[in-house]
Amino acid sequence: MNRRTPWTVFGSALAGYLAVGLTLSLHFGYLLGDALSRTSAAQAVLLSRDPHVSAIGFIFTPLTALAQLPVVAFASWWPAITRWNISGIAVSAVFMAGAVVMMHGICRDRGLPGRHRLLITVVFAINPMIVFYGANGMSEAGFLFFLCWAVRRLIRWVNTDDVHDLLLAGVALALAFLARYEGVVPIAFAAILVAVVTVLRKGRPYWKEMRRRAILDAVLVAGPGTAAFLVWITTSWLITGEALAQLSSSYGNAAILTQSGGSSGDLLSTSLFSLGADVALGPTLLVALPFAVGLAVRRRDLEFVVAPLLFGGVLGFQAASYITGSTFGFLRFFICAVPLAAVVVVQLFPAAGDQPTRRAGAFRRHRPVLVPLRSAATSAVVLLCALALPVTGWAMLQPTLSSQQYALGRLFDEDPSADDPQAMAARRIIDSFSTERRLASYLDNQGLPEGSILVDTVYGFAVLAASQHPKQFVVPSDLDFTETLNDPESAGVRYLLTVPNEGRGVSDAVNRRYPTIYDNGADLYPLVLEVPNDGADQPDWRLYRVPS
């Protein structure tokens, strides 16, 4: 294989994802809230009136926002970087292109011929879900990259027994946790897998002898992730007083669920949704998984266990979370079904050729140099991969399955009929944050000094990201926010930017301090401006003046 091939794969995927992302953002104005909020967090670290690293926040794990800092640093010269989430798009495109390279590497490590390797890599790269989340700035791209990296290295370790593969898998799993909280699940499962494989390598008579090595191997793969988890929650506790703000904070996921009316659906409906999401994103699993299990048993191929355990562990965790009412029913939470299906298809092919390794271990398993493939069977396998694309694309356009993606089917319908409620709803999703951009432009044009506008970032993150002058805002990450909130006039604040005290708005710090501020200015502040919102699930805004 040419050494340039991975770079060619990476460059091609990166260019494609950037093109799609910039088109969605700059041409259609289609931005996603979680992506924009991470961009706003990165902006607060560098460009707020009180810049500091902890301004990145502790609701989300930090890697996606931290990765944006080198790009966001230029936003003071080119505000479009944050206004249109260009920094987030760049980061997700790089990460998802990396995931494509990892999938290509898994194919190569398996010993697949070049044409089959290329076809499976391309089918994975152009999967509609992979393209969309490689192009929108969300954290799924980073999470998939690091998880694919970990899966690849663990598959290699099962074959090579090379400690370098084990250590790199551990680093990748730690970074996967720093991308998304559910990364703790593959860390735990990888430790169990590695310990069991190590114990089994010399057979039952040697189990006691191998236990110490099994524990050491498990520590090597789980140690970096465990350290990352402990450092993160300790830092969060020291700074905010909450170790797991995602669960305990009024800004966290649990609070958002409560503020949104709680989980919807009974046990049957949530279970069916979870199953449907897995099938929609990995339809080839219905056929490929049973065959792959049978072939793995026949070949005594322990490499097969890695992907179903790590990817499947995340899918099981997401399903359990939704069924128990602790998270939302979003199709994106099941995106691991896409790489799982691809890896399972790869492992339908017999392993061929020894993998190059830095230092093979004592339990390296040698492979045959070449394994003949039946053309009809291999063509059927590749066709099976390709057939998944229209199924996933169709699922993404169904409102019942894909509440966050189905609006993609209405991008070109700029003036939907009022008689078509589904089209109107989709248009509002596409127009999300257009109102916040207009509001930011209005405030920018007032020529306000630093620290003039008090706003919480529950909803205000989109206004901050769109603003050319983020230092004009006083936000919760500022060290003097509480003092300013208690006495805006003395702090030099000129305006309070408010949202309704309902739904997620109940967690807004301005509403908590002044419960009637949105309705009547708390009988203290006169109304200056009211801005109805065009976006879906976005609040109407009211701007109140602070008397000088």
Side-chain angles (χ1 to χ4, degrees):
M1 184 200 70
N2 192 316
R3 289 186 178 182
R4 296 179 181 176
T5 302
W7 288 106
T8 302
V9 171
F10 177 80
S12 301
L14 176 61
Y17 298 146
L18 281 175
V20 173
L22 293 175
T23 300
L24 288 174
S25 174
L26 298 175
H27 182 71
F28 294 104
Y30 191 9
L31 305 175
L32 296 188
D34 280 357
L36 201 57
S37 67
R38 285 171 168 86
T39 297
S40 178
Q43 181 191 50
V45 171
L46 297 176
L47 305 176
S48 67
R49 56 186 288 273
D50 184 17
H52 54 283
V53 176
S54 63
I56 206 162
F58 294 89
I59 303 301
F60 300 122
T61 44
L63 190 142
T64 306
L66 286 173
Q68 294 188 45
L69 293 180
V71 184
V72 169
F74 294 95
S76 56
W77 291 280
W78 189 32
I81 287 174
T82 56
R83 182 180 180 88
W84 298 104
N85 197 31
I86 292 172
S87 59
I89 293 166
V91 166
S92 66
V94 168
F95 278 139
M96 198 62 87
V100 174
V101 172
M102 287 301 133
M103 191 58 62
H104 180 268
I106 290 170
C107 295
R108 187 184 68 211
D109 293 343
R110 189 71 176 175
L112 267 64
R115 61 183 182 279
H116 297 124
R117 186 190 311 161
L118 177 62
L119 284 170
I120 291 175
T121 301
V122 169
V123 168
F124 173 75
I126 65 173
N127 183 287
M129 201 72 173
I130 296 298
V131 172
F132 185 56
Y133 282 92
N136 61 20
M138 297 283 277
S139 60
E140 275 73 14
F143 183 65
L144 280 191
F145 166 63
F146 292 118
L147 199 51
C148 286
W149 183 19
V151 166
R152 182 187 176 194
R153 284 295 169 175
L154 281 176
I155 291 173
R156 286 176 56 87
W157 172 80
V158 171
N159 175 254
T160 65
D161 190 30
D162 186 344
V163 70
H164 297 93
D165 288 324
L166 200 59
L167 287 170
L168 285 174
V171 170
L173 288 169
L175 293 170
F177 163 74
L178 292 176
R180 291 188 64 86
Y181 274 108
E182 54 266 38
V184 297
V185 177
I187 291 172
F189 280 19
I192 296 170
L193 168 69
V194 166
V196 171
V197 169
T198 300
V199 166
L200 293 177
R201 273 177 163 158
K202 287 189 70 172
R204 182 173 296 178
Y206 300 93
W207 280 4
K208 289 185 178 180
E209 176 187 330
M210 296 296 287
R211 278 188 303 185
R212 181 176 297 177
R213 176 167 176 171
I215 293 171
L216 177 60
D217 286 348
V219 169
L220 286 176
V221 77
T226 303
F229 174 78
L230 292 175
V231 169
W232 175 247
I233 64 171
T234 301
T235 304
S236 176
W237 177 72
L238 289 172
I239 293 176
T240 70
E242 296 174 306
L244 289 170
Q246 178 68 267
L247 301 177
S248 58
S249 170
S250 60
Y251 298 102
N253 199 53
I256 293 173
L257 266 170
T258 302
Q259 295 155 11
S260 303
S263 178
S264 59
D266 54 22
L267 176 62
L268 179 60
S269 63
T270 52
S271 300
L272 288 175
F273 175 88
S274 301
L275 179 61
D278 287 333
V279 172
L281 299 183
T284 56
L285 290 171
L286 295 174
V287 177
L289 188 58
F291 276 104
V293 170
L295 289 171
V297 172
R298 180 181 172 184
R299 298 165 180 163
R300 296 183 179 179
D301 184 4
L302 286 176
E303 295 177 23
F304 169 77
V305 180
V306 176
L309 194 63
L310 268 63
F311 289 127
V314 174
L315 292 172
F317 172 79
Q318 295 289 12
S321 298
Y322 181 48
I323 290 169
T324 57
S326 57
T327 193
F328 295 96
F330 292 153
L331 189 64
R332 65 183 174 93
F333 289 163
F334 299 87
I335 196 172
C336 283
V338 180
L340 173 59
V343 176
V344 167
V345 166
V346 169
Q347 292 181 327
L348 290 173
F349 294 89
D354 284 337
Q355 303 172 53
T357 183
R358 296 183 65 181
R359 189 182 68 188
F363 298 99
R364 177 172 186 166
R365 301 180 66 182
H366 291 281
R367 297 167 165 178
V369 176
L370 182 65
V371 178
L373 301 175
R374 296 179 181 178
S375 58
T378 55
S379 299
V381 168
V382 175
L383 178 62
L384 188 65
C385 270
L387 288 176
L389 300 182
V391 175
T392 299
W394 172 85
M396 289 176 66
L397 301 181
Q398 306 309 305
T400 53
L401 266 177
S402 186
S403 60
Q404 294 185 304
Q405 290 85 223
Y406 81 92
L408 289 168
R410 303 280 186 167
L411 282 175
F412 297 98
D413 190 2
E414 296 183 2
D415 189 20
S417 169
D419 296 329
D420 188 347
Q422 192 173 100
M424 294 291 291
R427 189 71 246 169
R428 285 180 62 84
I429 292 173
I430 296 168
D431 289 339
S432 292
F433 312 116
S434 60
T435 300
E436 284 72 16
R437 289 192 293 273
R438 293 196 304 272
L439 179 56
S441 296
Y442 169 83
L443 295 171
D444 288 346
N445 291 333
Q446 302 308 304
L448 297 170
E450 183 176 312
S452 294
I453 307 165
L454 184 68
V455 61
D456 197 344
T457 50
V458 172
Y459 286 111
F461 65 85
V463 180
L464 269 70
S467 174
Q468 297 183 36
H469 308 296
K471 290 186 178 182
Q472 67 187 325
F473 298 95
V474 181
V475 293
S477 62
D478 295 340
L479 297 181
D480 62 349
F481 178 77
T482 301
E483 180 183 350
T484 303
L485 180 64
N486 287 331
D487 191 356
E489 185 176 350
S490 298
V493 171
R494 296 190 184 183
Y495 296 103
L496 302 177
L497 189 55
T498 68
V499 297
N501 194 5
E502 59 187 31
R504 289 191 63 190
V506 301
S507 64
D508 185 286
V510 181
N511 282 334
R512 293 203 307 270
R513 178 62 180 84
Y514 307 102
T516 64
I517 183 71
Y518 183 82
D519 295 327
N520 57 22
D523 293 326
L524 295 171
Y525 310 111
L527 179 66
V528 175
L529 182 69
E530 182 168 10
V531 186
N533 210 306
D534 297 330
D537 301 321
Q538 294 298 111
D540 296 335
W541 294 90
R542 287 181 181 173
L543 185 69
Y544 288 92
R545 188 176 73 250
V546 178
S548 56

